[in-house]
């Protein structure tokens, strides 16, 4: 049966900057697909930092060319069909746009089956540990980082991820956080690509000293040779992935065992279909997967991907949508049992849709 589909843009602005990158704006691309029986699928993607106009235009063009007025193949087949059209223009905004279509297609597919998205993807809903990533930034003093970590541990989270930058102040931050939380709560650290190789080597040694579970993005994502050097330094475990796009980008990090924690971003990789494929690749090399934020959505991928072992709680887009699952008292999250992904667009933000 044929479907109707539209793409819209929400210019989402935060009241204050958050996280290690100082995010204060996100352009949210929304795709809605309705079939002739009235079943609907809701999808979204985003450009962190704003400036999402090019990706939004790409989404409009992809919807018009491949979705609206057509009979859709299964979600993974639709993803491959659209992705193949990028052979002359590349990934970039094209994949970001495709992410919104892919999420909508999976949501519609699962709703038609009457099952949660994770089940439609071939899995079984399960509880996944959540780590605390919100509330930290690189300019806060050690006591503020410690307070944020203590609050997250008090809610039952079993890991926290303060921000670091490869400078001597990191030692005080990590020491304060360790002192503020129970011994069973693990510590990670996120450098948000802020280090050069010399700083990264120092940071990895510091991470080993403090027993960190992993260090995220100690170098820019494209500094592959630098990452190869870090991987041989006998320091801490490396995590990376939120700025990578294609499976080819992820391949050396996984196959060369450079990173043991792989962190795909929904928008950058182009949706749920490639996220699941990246998780399968990681599983083959015994790496674990911990996607970039959106725990309530990625809990569905966890149902079908055993390698997905951590979810990141970094509140950002949650106000735009309703229906997010809650973190349980034991610090885990289970995907919504409702058909599809269980999310709806908040009415306030629906009124802000630009089409």
């Amino acid at each position: 049966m044929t479907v109707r589909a539209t793409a819209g843009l929400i210019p989402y602005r935060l009241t204050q900057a958050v996280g290690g990158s100082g995010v204060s704006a996100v352009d949210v691309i929304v795709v809605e697909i309705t079939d002739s029986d009235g079943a609907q699928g809701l999808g979204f993607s985003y450009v962190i930092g704003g400036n999402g106009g090019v990706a939004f235009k790409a989404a409009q063009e992809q919807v018009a060319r491949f979705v609206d007025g057509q009979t859709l193949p299964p979600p993974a087949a639709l993803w491959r069909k659209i992705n193949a059209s990028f052979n002359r223009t590349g990934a970039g905004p094209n994949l970001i746009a495709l992410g919104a279509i892919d999420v909508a297609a999976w949501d519609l597919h699962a709703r038609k089956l009457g099952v949660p998205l994770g089940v439609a993807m071939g899995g079984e809903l399960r509880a996944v540990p959540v780590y605390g990533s919100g509330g930290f930034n690189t300019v806060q003093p050690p006591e503020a980082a410690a307070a944020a970590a203590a609050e997250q541990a008090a809610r039952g989270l079993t890991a926290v991820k303060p921000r670091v930058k490869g400078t001597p102040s990191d030692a005080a931050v990590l020491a304060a956080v360790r002192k503020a939380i129970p011994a069973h709560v693990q510590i990670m650290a996120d450098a948000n690509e802020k280090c050069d190789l010399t700083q990264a080597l120092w940071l990895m040694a510091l991470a080993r000293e403090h027993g960190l579970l992993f260090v995220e993005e100690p170098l820019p994502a494209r500094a592959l040779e630098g990452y190869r050097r870090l991987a041989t330094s006998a320091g801490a475990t490396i995590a990376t992935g939120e700025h990578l796009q294609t499976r080819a980008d992820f391949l050396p990090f996984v196959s060369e065992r450079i990173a043991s924690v792989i962190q795909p971003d929904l928008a950058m990789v182009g949706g749920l279909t490639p996220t699941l494929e990246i998780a399968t690749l990681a599983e083959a090399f015994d790496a674990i997967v911990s996607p970039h934020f959106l725990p309530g959505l990625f809990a569905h991928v966890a149902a079908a991907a055993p390698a997905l072992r951590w979810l990141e709680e970094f509140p950002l887009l949650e106000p735009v949508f309703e229906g997010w699952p809650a973190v349980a008292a034991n610090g885990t999250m289970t995907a919504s049992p409702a058909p599809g992904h269980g999310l709806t667009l908040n009415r306030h933000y629906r009124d802000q849709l630009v089409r």
Side-chain angles (χ1 to χ4, degrees):
M1 62 182 67
T2 59
V3 302
R4 306 304 300 174
T6 60
L9 179 70
I10 299 172
Y12 178 51
R13 303 297 178 258
L14 283 67
T15 56
Q16 63 181 20
V18 297
S21 300
V23 176
S24 60
V26 184
D27 280 354
V28 183
I29 300 163
V30 176
V31 169
E32 295 174 292
I33 305 174
T34 305
D35 72 11
S36 56
D37 290 334
Q40 296 182 321
L42 170 67
F44 63 94
S45 187
Y46 44 83
V47 177
I48 294 177
N51 300 312
V54 175
F56 173 47
K57 179 64 175 177
Q60 290 179 308
E61 293 179 352
Q62 290 172 28
V63 164
R65 181 179 176 187
F66 296 103
V67 184
D68 189 41
Q70 303 198 35
T71 299
L72 298 187
L78 177 63
W79 190 93
R80 290 190 291 270
K81 180 179 180 180
I82 299 176
N83 183 63
S85 71
F86 306 155
N87 64 318
R88 294 293 184 182
T89 55
N94 285 326
L95 270 186
I96 294 172
L98 176 51
I101 296 172
D102 185 65
V103 174
W106 273 111
D107 187 38
L108 176 62
H109 178 67
R111 287 174 184 268
K112 294 286 287 183
L113 294 175
V115 299
L117 174 59
V119 175
M121 297 183 86
E124 183 177 20
L125 301 189
R126 62 182 176 93
V128 184
V130 178
Y131 71 82
S133 180
F136 298 108
N137 60 65
T138 56
V139 298
Q140 64 190 169
E143 56 268 28
E151 184 275 329
Q152 292 167 352
R155 292 193 293 114
L157 302 187
T158 55
V160 297
K161 191 178 72 178
R163 300 305 188 269
V164 294
K165 50 191 175 183
T167 63
S169 61
D170 294 344
V173 169
L174 296 178
V177 168
R178 181 70 278 169
K179 185 177 180 180
I181 58 179
H184 73 276
V185 178
Q186 296 178 294
I187 303 177
M188 308 141 170
D190 189 350
N192 291 107
E193 299 188 318
K194 287 184 168 59
C195 301
D196 58 28
L197 182 55
T198 300
Q199 292 171 313
L201 286 165
W202 176 87
L203 177 60
M204 300 304 278
L206 180 68
R208 184 179 180 88
E209 176 185 337
H210 284 271
L212 268 58
L213 187 63
F214 64 71
V215 176
E216 178 176 334
E217 291 193 319
L219 291 170
R222 300 296 175 182
L224 184 55
E225 288 304 317
Y227 272 108
R228 287 185 172 118
R229 173 69 178 88
L230 285 186
T232 64
S233 69
T237 296
I238 295 170
T240 193
E242 72 176 74
H243 290 104
L244 302 177
Q245 280 209 288
T246 69
R247 283 163 293 183
D249 293 335
F250 283 88
L251 185 58
F253 288 95
V254 177
S255 63
E256 297 179 33
R257 306 182 190 277
I258 295 169
S260 297
V261 183
I262 307 302
Q263 302 172 300
D265 175 88
L266 178 78
M268 289 293 284
V269 301
L272 297 168
T273 294
T275 299
L276 185 57
E277 293 176 349
I278 290 165
T280 301
L281 172 66
E283 184 181 3
F285 287 88
D286 298 316
I288 73 167
V289 174
S290 177
H292 184 219
F293 82 117
L294 297 175
L297 181 62
F298 284 121
H300 284 286
V301 179
L308 203 158
R309 302 291 296 277
W310 284 101
L311 296 169
E312 178 185 20
E313 183 189 66
F314 180 76
L316 185 61
L317 297 185
E318 278 74 6
V320 180
F321 302 94
E322 298 176 351
W324 299 103
V327 177
N330 66 352
T332 65
M333 179 180 287
T334 304
S336 168
H341 50 49
L343 302 176
T344 58
L345 188 59
N346 179 288
R347 180 174 297 180
H348 170 74
Y349 291 101
R350 177 174 289 281
D351 291 342
Q352 297 185 25
L353 269 175
V354 177
R355 298 189 188 275

